Amino acid sequence: MRVEVKFHLAKEILLPYDLSYYISGYIYRCIKQAAPELSEWLHNTGLKYKGRRYKPFVFSRCNFASRVNLDSVMKVKGTLSFQIDSIMPEIVHRFVEGAWANGHLDLFEFKFPLQETCFLPPVSFSETMVYKALSPIVIPIQKNNQIVFSHPLDSRFYDSMRNSLKNWYYLRWQEEFPEGEEIHIQLYRPEKFQLGKAAVLTRFKDKNIKGYLVPLEVEAPVKMQQVIYEAGIGSYGSQGFGMVEALKEVK
């Protein structure tokens, strides 16, 4: 249940590159406006599985109708938009209700009127899909008792991704991922991949998070493909990482 929201920027302004923290806060406020109990549950509890808690929503980076990259800020105008999805349709519906009730997006000293909310058409999933990252894919791993961020040339990038997806599979379908089934994930068109160009360093609150904007080809059961689309890939989905869209279907 994916929706795209659009806001009107009346004039050209300067914004910082890292907006995920502020968009995350806006999403929580909108849900709270429509369903306070759902917002409290989402913020404080979430879904529980194997001793961990999961916040079941994911959102994309912001897109602008016009954007010019400067040294430390971006010059934008026209329209600001982003997408949000969840394995729980109620979260998306309540967000939309709250967004219309609020009527605008607050970013720093600016107020952007809500222009449109558009539910995107459903995707026809197949056992082989290609996905484009709409926000950086983040894979944190333990190394020497520290958290580091794996990259697409490291096999742990894909191992961790598969393990995380199996957890989301259970949360989505309330059943374990079937034994004997496999999840094959690889770079789409790896000959075009450049590690430096794909890397994105994002400041979220007081943390630096390194992720990668890469297209991925995935072979997996159709139910797992739906999980990938609704829950995202990797970690920190509710902080604005790992959202993907179906780029094309591979026969």
Side-chain angles (χ1 to χ4, degrees):
M1 183 63 65
R2 179 168 298 196
V3 70
E4 182 177 37
V5 290
K6 296 181 180 181
F7 304 87
H8 178 61
L9 280 62
K11 60 181 181 179
E12 188 173 74
I13 61 170
L14 299 177
L15 288 176
Y17 287 107
D18 298 331
L19 296 175
S20 297
Y21 174 70
Y22 306 100
I23 298 300
S24 175
Y26 168 74
I27 290 170
Y28 278 110
R29 289 194 298 274
C30 288
I31 296 172
K32 184 176 181 179
Q33 179 86 23
E37 291 183 359
L38 176 62
S39 175
E40 182 178 358
W41 170 85
L42 187 60
H43 192 273
N44 298 323
T45 304
L47 297 172
K48 298 179 181 179
Y49 183 59
K50 291 185 176 180
R52 298 184 60 186
R53 296 183 179 184
Y54 295 82
K55 298 181 179 181
F57 70 92
V58 63
F59 62 95
S60 71
R61 296 204 299 178
C62 292
N63 290 313
F64 298 90
S66 174
R67 167 176 162 169
V68 177
N69 295 334
L70 305 177
D71 288 342
S72 58
V73 294
M74 51 185 171
K75 185 189 299 183
V76 297
K77 64 179 180 179
T79 301
L80 180 160
S81 65
F82 67 88
Q83 297 179 22
I84 177 174
D85 207 341
S86 174
I87 62 172
M88 297 175 58
E90 182 186 4
I91 289 175
V92 179
H93 281 294
R94 295 301 190 184
F95 163 73
V96 171
E97 290 178 20
W100 282 113
N102 281 330
H104 60 268
L105 167 65
D106 288 308
L107 278 181
F108 308 102
E109 70 270 28
F110 305 107
K111 285 184 180 290
F112 305 132
L114 179 61
Q115 192 174 49
E116 181 183 2
T117 58
C118 176
F119 283 94
L120 303 185
V123 173
S124 177
F125 297 104
S126 63
E127 292 187 350
T128 302
M129 300 287 294
V130 174
Y131 296 101
K132 172 186 175 182
L134 297 181
S135 49
I137 297 171
V138 177
I139 306 293
I141 60 174
Q142 285 278 352
K143 185 177 181 180
N144 299 326
N145 296 319
Q146 291 184 328
I147 295 293
V148 298
F149 297 104
S150 183
H151 58 77
L153 298 180
D154 184 346
S155 62
R156 292 172 295 182
F157 186 83
Y158 305 96
D159 293 339
S160 177
M161 194 182 294
R162 281 188 287 268
N163 291 334
S164 174
L165 286 173
K166 289 178 182 179
N167 293 342
W168 281 106
Y169 185 95
Y170 178 84
L171 295 170
R172 174 62 176 87
W173 302 111
Q174 292 299 297
E175 63 186 36
E176 298 288 349
F177 185 71
E179 290 188 20
E181 295 282 6
E182 295 185 352
I183 309 169
H184 295 287
I185 307 173
Q186 63 183 9
L187 288 171
Y188 179 62
R189 295 183 177 173
E191 71 279 3
K192 295 187 176 182
F193 175 72
Q194 296 182 46
L195 186 64
K197 287 188 176 181
V200 179
L201 187 65
T202 303
R203 186 76 175 172
F204 188 94
K205 202 174 181 180
D206 57 351
K207 298 185 296 184
N208 286 323
I209 299 174
K210 193 170 188 177
Y212 296 86
L213 288 170
V214 290
L216 297 172
E217 182 174 335
V218 182
E219 295 180 33
V222 168
K223 289 173 70 172
M224 176 57 85
Q225 302 285 9
Q226 185 172 341
V227 170
I228 290 170
Y229 185 77
E230 293 177 351
I233 295 178
S235 297
Y236 310 148
S238 64
Q239 296 178 25
F241 298 95
M243 187 180 215
V244 298
E245 69 175 359
L247 185 62
K248 61 180 286 189
E249 297 180 38
V250 181
K251 302 301 181 183

